[in-house]
Amino acid sequence: MLLFLPISSELRAQIDVVLEDLTTIDDIDAESWEQTYDLLSDLLENPLNLNTATPDDLRQLPFLNEEQIEEISAFIYRYGALQSEGELAMIPCIDETTRQRLLQFTYFGDVETKKPSLNELLRRGRHELIATGKIPFYERRGDRETYLGPPYKHSLRYTFQSQQHLKAGFIGSQDAGEPFFTNGNAAGYDFYAFFVQAQRFGRLKNLTVGHYRLNFGHGLVVNNDLSFGKLFALSAADRNQNIIRGHSSRMEYNYLQGAAATISLTKNLDLTAFLSYRDIDVTPTDDNLNIRTILTSGYHRTNSEMQRRRNASEFLGGSRIAYRYNRWNAAVTVVYDAFDKPLKPVEKRSKTNLYREIQPAGQHFWNASVDYGYRHARFTFSGETATGSCGGVGTMNTLNVKLAGQLSLIAIQRFYSYRYYAIHSQSLSEGGATQNESGILVGATWRPSYALSVTAYTDFAYFPWARYQVSQRSQAWDNLVSATWKRHQWKINLRYRLRLREKDNAGRTALDNRTEQRARASVAYDENQWNLKTQFDLSHIGGENAENSFGWMVSETAGIKLKNVSLNALFAYFHTDNYDSRLYLYESGPQYTFSIPMVYGHGIRYMLMAQWQPSRRLLLTAKIATTNYFDRSTIGSSYQQINASSMTDLDVQMKWRF
């Protein structure tokens, strides 16, 4: 079994660095993290030719802001193709950190003298097949009593890419406990996804057929593509997106199914249109005539989960027209969304579900928005304002000012009416939704020297309507400061975050103040052949009428690279009072496999990952990881309960290029 393995530890390490720099783990839900990791894995495996990449291509890279994208394109237009990192360093707005990230996701390729034919693209294309499996060395309660399938998680992924013009993808995926070729899954895998994408064929900028994702403007109307938190917003919140991306991920809910295309009408004017129809998982109301909840887990392990599998359908269609001229850009997006049954999130009103009363209700919905932007040498302004059949308004506006030296300030204002909603919206927020929130974020990035960079923000948010576990209007305040010193092979990072939130007391008669503090200190040394990293994490949760919860963790990671073998290891010791003070780890794992474990209680986690490349086309890797708890005899609850104090998983993957 050790011959079926994950991907390059080096590539995974690069993704970890980007995630650590641009995000805080506890800022995003697990589904968004997995989707974000899939996207970064795909970009690493299929880097952009920097010399032929268009501004739209560069906007796929999450760490570039609008100024950097335009300056890269302008530099290549003036001086010709880039040949080395030294030439890239001549672009003033590309700092050292951004340059190193850019080199991981791009390369200096030749400039096409003529457009290749379709036959040439098919002949030159690269094929890639990845088989992945996860084998647990424990038994869950559901494996014994309820689950319809075996306890193994596995998938088969195929990708074809020919330059930046043609791409296709396919995946078959199975979660642990789901039936395979039986019990309602006669087609084998529980989930299949595929797409074909053609780009840069004359006026046709992008045509994607099959499963796909969209990201327009600032995400107030449509964004089921990429989700980052507030640190990401400091570097790229000024971008107005126009992204169509193929979907061949294991994520079973956050995608569209049909076709989407962008056509260049004139040099400065683009038209995008899209259609989608797909079956979705829902929890019906008691009379089975309405939809109470749209399910997002993708699990179909039990009879009840199988009954909710694809038991409703959704149609979505829309268009976007975007105009760019010199430093100005503007676009209008219109979306129509319909379900085969009405959404009815509330059947009986109560104080505990008051927050559900403002969720989408009905069968037919429309949304429209205008997004806009202007870039000056010293500042960038952008934003989006949206409304819809809901009758509410949502708006988000950013102002990024570049001061003397290496100091930049950013202000992000947002107002999402409690009456505003869009089914597929996703944007910057404290409450996790583009609804029922107004706030202002002020941040700064400062480089006082070549080696030192400092990032900080403060964000205040107000919620006029009830939220989950908050039965009345409330507010929150979030603050973060991060400093990174990097010189030669050494990197030191210090980070502190303070969040103040309000939450219902035990009787739901008033709100208690809740304080969350998290801190991290890490020291890393990276040579060409080996690397080491020591990290210390702290968390403290407190508040009125609540017990204080404290947690800490120390972890050590190490890696070594030989001729065609590499090894990565991790050891972490953690001790937290309870779940509230839980901690997170960035951990190496298989390509396209989400691996950011959360730990709480008292115990250790250790991991070893080995990679072997016996030939240029074949890559084999295996990872074994164990979490050992000292404070419990069972792990998990309900059907996921394990009657043991430790759990061990083996991840295996084979990657073959041909």
Side-chain angles (χ1 to χ4, degrees):
M1 292 187 295
L2 294 177
L3 295 180
F4 295 86
L5 328 162
I7 176 131
S8 164
S9 56
E10 182 178 0
L11 293 183
R12 172 67 211 216
Q14 293 169 352
I15 297 176
D16 290 343
V17 171
V18 175
L19 287 175
E20 284 188 278
D21 288 344
L22 294 180
T23 61
T24 54
I25 299 180
D26 52 316
D27 206 22
I28 308 176
D29 58 80
E31 289 85 0
S32 296
W33 267 104
E34 185 163 356
Q35 185 166 295
T36 299
Y37 174 64
D38 273 4
L39 169 63
L40 293 176
S41 296
D42 188 62
L43 289 173
L44 271 175
E45 277 298 296
N46 302 285
L48 297 172
N49 181 350
L50 197 56
N51 291 318
T52 61
T54 65
D56 283 341
D57 292 333
L58 294 175
R59 289 185 185 99
Q60 296 183 59
L61 302 175
F63 47 82
L64 291 180
N65 60 36
E66 198 65 27
E67 179 191 12
Q68 292 166 335
I69 291 170
E70 293 196 16
E71 288 300 315
I72 291 171
S73 299
F75 188 91
I76 295 173
Y77 177 77
R78 289 193 206 106
Y79 304 110
L82 293 165
Q83 302 296 330
S84 67
E85 180 182 352
E87 292 184 23
L88 186 61
M90 297 172 64
I91 303 176
C93 63
I94 305 295
D95 57 77
E96 169 68 16
T97 300
T98 303
R99 187 162 65 251
Q100 293 305 316
R101 292 175 186 159
L102 195 59
L103 292 172
Q104 295 168 7
F105 295 93
T106 62
Y107 67 97
F108 304 116
D110 296 331
V111 178
E112 298 172 347
T113 56
K114 65 175 183 177
K115 295 293 183 182
S117 66
L118 181 59
N119 287 335
E120 288 177 314
L121 289 172
L122 293 174
R123 187 176 68 253
R124 297 177 187 173
R126 185 187 69 190
H127 304 264
E128 182 177 279
L129 186 66
I130 298 178
T132 304
K134 188 182 187 74
I135 303 166
F137 292 94
Y138 49 82
E139 186 179 54
R140 290 162 289 222
R141 177 188 164 195
D143 297 327
R144 298 189 304 269
E145 301 177 7
T146 312
Y147 292 162
L148 302 174
Y152 312 112
K153 181 177 182 178
H154 52 97
S155 64
L156 186 66
R157 180 192 297 262
Y158 165 78
T159 303
F160 170 83
Q161 175 130 3
S162 185
Q163 302 177 22
Q164 302 304 131
H165 294 287
L166 198 60
K167 186 176 182 181
F170 167 85
I171 190 171
S173 175
Q174 198 81 7
D175 290 315
E178 293 178 337
F180 191 57
F181 283 110
T182 184
N183 292 328
N185 268 346
Y189 284 108
D190 178 75
F191 175 69
Y192 291 98
F194 74 94
F195 74 90
V196 176
Q197 185 176 63
Q199 297 184 93
R200 298 197 220 164
F201 285 91
R203 291 188 178 273
L204 180 64
K205 299 183 74 172
N206 189 323
L207 171 62
T208 303
V209 178
H211 297 72
Y212 63 93
R213 301 197 296 265
L214 301 175
N215 187 357
F216 293 151
H218 287 273
L220 299 191
V221 169
V222 176
N223 177 15
N224 60 357
D225 178 48
L226 187 62
S227 174
F228 276 121
K230 298 171 186 176
L231 275 179
F232 165 70
L234 297 185
S235 63
D238 61 344
R239 287 166 34 178
N240 295 68
Q241 305 280 22
N242 190 65
I243 291 177
I244 303 171
R245 202 189 313 272
H247 175 85
S248 60
S249 163
R250 284 190 300 266
M251 300 298 294
E252 297 188 31
Y253 79 96
N254 202 15
Y255 67 91
L256 302 175
Q257 180 176 277
T262 297
I263 300 172
S264 178
L265 301 179
T266 67
K267 178 182 178 181
N268 301 315
L269 191 65
D270 291 343
L271 174 65
T272 299
F274 52 93
L275 288 172
S276 170
Y277 180 86
R278 57 178 292 246
D279 293 331
I280 58 176
D281 295 359
V282 305
T283 300
T285 54
D286 294 338
D287 57 11
N288 207 36
L289 298 177
N290 302 282
I291 298 172
R292 179 183 298 159
T293 308
I294 298 175
L295 301 175
T296 62
S297 70
Y299 289 134
H300 307 114
R301 303 162 298 184
T302 66
N303 285 321
S304 59
E305 289 176 348
M306 289 295 286
Q307 290 172 2
R308 295 191 291 267
R309 182 189 188 208
R310 301 167 193 162
N311 56 344
S313 61
E314 177 190 14
F315 169 83
L316 184 139
S319 64
R320 171 181 170 86
I321 187 162
Y323 178 77
R324 288 183 177 271
Y325 181 74
N326 292 337
R327 299 177 182 271
W328 295 90
N329 67 81
V332 176
T333 304
V334 179
V335 174
Y336 172 75
D337 207 340
F339 297 87
D340 65 336
K341 303 173 187 176
L343 301 181
K344 190 177 180 181
V346 178
E347 294 187 79
K348 293 182 180 180
R349 182 176 186 180
S350 69
K351 202 167 186 178
T352 58
N353 68 2
L354 190 61
Y355 69 97
R356 288 183 174 272
E357 292 193 2
I358 61 172
Q359 292 180 352
Q363 190 168 1
H364 304 276
F365 309 90
W366 66 266
N367 290 94
S369 76
V370 177
D371 60 270
Y372 35 83
Y374 175 76
R375 189 182 69 81
H376 186 267
R378 283 290 183 183
F379 70 88
T380 303
F381 170 75
S382 68
E384 182 177 14
T385 300
T387 187
S389 54
C390 55
V393 174
T395 184
M396 173 182 168
N397 298 279
T398 72
L399 178 63
N400 196 329
V401 180
K402 188 175 183 180
L403 302 179
Q406 295 295 320
L407 176 62
S408 296
L409 300 179
I410 186 169
I412 305 175
Q413 171 271 336
R414 61 194 184 275
F415 170 75
Y416 311 139
S417 166
Y418 71 88
R419 293 187 301 159
Y420 177 77
Y421 53 73
I423 304 296
H424 294 281
S425 65
Q426 185 174 242
S427 192
L428 177 72
S429 69
E430 170 67 22
T434 54
Q435 183 184 29
N436 184 35
E437 178 175 331
S438 60
I440 180 75
L441 181 148
V442 178
T445 57
W446 180 40
R447 289 190 166 273
S449 69
Y450 180 81
L452 180 63
S453 63
V454 180
T455 301
Y457 71 73
T458 182
D459 179 46
F460 178 80
Y462 173 72
F463 312 98
W465 191 267
R467 299 186 298 132
Y468 178 65
Q469 295 185 337
V470 185
S471 57
Q472 55 185 287
R473 59 189 178 187
S474 61
Q475 60 189 29
W477 189 27
D478 183 16
N479 307 270
L480 181 140
V481 60
S482 175
T484 301
W485 181 84
K486 185 176 181 181
R487 188 169 180 83
H488 303 305
Q489 288 80 25
W490 289 95
K491 180 179 178 181
I492 300 175
N493 177 257
L494 301 174
R495 181 180 292 185
Y496 172 74
R497 187 177 192 182
L498 170 65
R499 304 177 86 174
L500 306 176
R501 293 177 168 180
E502 293 180 323
K503 186 178 179 180
D504 279 337
N505 62 12
R508 296 190 179 91
T509 57
L511 297 181
D512 287 340
N513 292 317
R514 179 184 175 94
T515 303
E516 177 181 331
Q517 299 181 79
R518 296 185 180 274
R520 167 174 294 171
S522 65
V523 179
Y525 183 84
D526 191 350
E527 269 284 1
N528 290 330
Q529 299 298 319
W530 59 277
N531 61 82
L532 293 170
K533 181 179 179 181
T534 302
Q535 182 169 295
F536 188 67
D537 290 270
L538 287 173
S539 64
H540 178 268
I541 314 297
E544 300 174 280
N545 305 315
E547 294 183 6
N548 289 332
S549 179
F550 178 76
W552 63 275
M553 175 173 62
V554 61
S555 59
E556 183 74 29
T557 58
I560 184 170
K561 293 174 249 180
L562 304 176
K563 184 177 180 180
N564 60 351
V565 175
S566 67
L567 297 173
N568 266 308
L570 173 142
F571 179 86
Y573 177 88
F574 58 89
H575 198 306
T576 78
D577 292 337
N578 50 41
Y579 177 79
D580 288 342
S581 53
R582 61 194 176 276
L583 295 162
Y584 299 84
L585 279 166
Y586 290 94
E587 183 178 280
S588 295
Q591 186 183 14
Y592 298 109
T593 300
F594 178 65
S595 181
I596 302 181
M598 178 269 296
V599 294
Y600 71 96
H602 184 201
I604 57 175
R605 180 171 176 85
Y606 44 96
M607 177 275 296
L608 177 65
M609 189 172 80
Q611 174 189 294
W612 177 41
Q613 190 167 7
S615 70
R616 186 172 59 89
R617 298 179 180 274
L618 184 63
L619 181 65
L620 306 173
T621 314
K623 169 191 169 182
I624 189 163
T626 297
T627 305
N628 191 2
Y629 292 96
F630 304 148
D631 59 347
R632 68 195 74 171
S633 58
T634 62
I635 303 172
S637 60
S638 187
Y639 294 128
Q640 291 293 96
Q641 180 174 311
I642 303 167
N643 294 327
S645 60
S646 67
M647 54 186 294
T648 299
D649 292 280
L650 173 66
D651 288 285
V652 293
Q653 190 179 81
M654 177 187 69
K655 175 182 171 183
W656 178 38
R657 285 183 175 177
F658 56 97

